[in-house]
Amino acid sequence: MVQDTSVAYNLDVPPPYRLRAGTYRGSLTYTIGPGGDFDFGNDVSQLSGDTLTVNFVLDVRHAFLFEFPPGSDRAVLEPKGGWSAWLAGGKAPTRLYRDLPFRLWSTGPFKVYKLCQHTADVRCGIVNDNAHQVPVEVALSLPGGIQYQGRPVEHLPLPTGRAAALQFESLMPTLNRPGQLHFAVGRADVPSMLAHAGSTYTGQVTVVFDAEL
């Protein structure tokens, strides 16, 4: 007499860090009886059914955390070495920039995009009190375990709007690794800012890290 039986299985799935977060469901049906998947012999009778359905549920939840140091809500764009050289009669700066470091914990894919208070073509803009506007380039660098289209992420320009978001894939879990946000006014636009010396340019840029794919 068979009183108890069991089934062992091995679920073959891609590495979890390559899966989107969410609940994955599936089922597999086995036949029971002579010639079936479970055949207990021709003399076995009074079976409760002729099939067995096993339901599988895989719940994928990723760790996702960005940690910025205090003061990262304000990025002051300056030339390399600051303004002192130009104020002392030196050469005019050719680029204004600021790099904001952060630490990243991520175990799965995610998307990134930006939103702009002021828009300048595909870039965000900063504006002074006289309504003079210049574009700001916003780019992203990520740890080596994360790629975009199979390549490392180094100074990758960020698009504007969720519809244009870039999706990043994980090669491995990333735990407490460094990355950077880069903000810059390029060589072509700095001279027009210097023509408004003494004014202050401001603008808000929101960078959205979206793990809900």
Side-chain angles (χ1 to χ4, degrees):
M1 175 183 293
V2 177
Q3 293 182 327
D4 189 20
T5 186
S6 61
V7 176
Y9 69 91
N10 181 35
L11 191 60
D12 186 11
V13 299
Y17 53 81
R18 290 178 178 256
L19 293 174
R20 295 183 178 185
T23 302
Y24 295 77
R25 302 179 186 275
S27 62
L28 185 60
T29 299
Y30 296 94
T31 57
I32 301 175
D37 298 305
F38 294 90
D39 187 344
F40 299 103
N42 295 333
D43 295 331
V44 174
S45 59
Q46 298 183 350
L47 296 173
S48 60
D50 57 4
T51 61
L52 169 67
T53 299
V54 180
N55 296 307
F56 301 92
V57 179
L58 176 64
D59 191 11
V60 178
R61 299 180 183 272
H62 290 300
F64 190 69
L65 174 65
F66 279 79
E67 186 177 90
F68 287 84
S72 296
D73 58 333
R74 186 169 182 262
V76 179
L77 307 185
E78 294 181 322
K80 185 176 182 180
W83 291 99
S84 57
W86 182 60
L87 295 175
K91 292 183 178 180
T94 57
R95 181 173 178 264
L96 308 179
Y97 73 98
R98 177 68 63 185
D99 296 330
L100 295 182
F102 58 81
R103 309 295 296 187
L104 168 63
W105 288 256
S106 176
T107 59
F110 58 92
K111 291 182 178 180
V112 183
Y113 60 94
K114 70 179 187 295
L115 301 173
C116 307
Q117 179 185 12
H118 308 291
T119 301
D121 53 63
V122 296
R123 295 169 290 182
C124 295
I126 51 177
V127 183
N128 70 2
D129 293 337
N130 297 320
H132 179 248
Q133 176 173 292
V134 293
V136 175
E137 300 165 359
V138 183
L140 177 67
S141 294
L142 292 173
I146 301 173
Q147 292 187 344
Y148 173 67
Q149 295 185 346
R151 297 181 179 181
V153 182
E154 293 287 344
H155 285 80
L156 180 65
L158 292 179
T160 302
R162 185 174 185 177
L166 304 180
Q167 180 167 324
F168 299 95
E169 303 296 335
S170 296
L171 299 180
M172 63 187 72
T174 299
L175 303 175
N176 197 19
R177 296 288 305 281
Q180 284 188 323
L181 278 173
H182 311 282
F183 302 90
V185 175
R187 179 185 299 269
D189 299 296
V190 172
S192 67
M193 294 182 69
L194 299 181
H196 295 263
S199 64
T200 300
Y201 288 78
T202 61
Q204 293 183 357
V205 177
T206 303
V207 179
V208 181
F209 297 88
D210 186 2
E212 298 296 328
L213 304 182

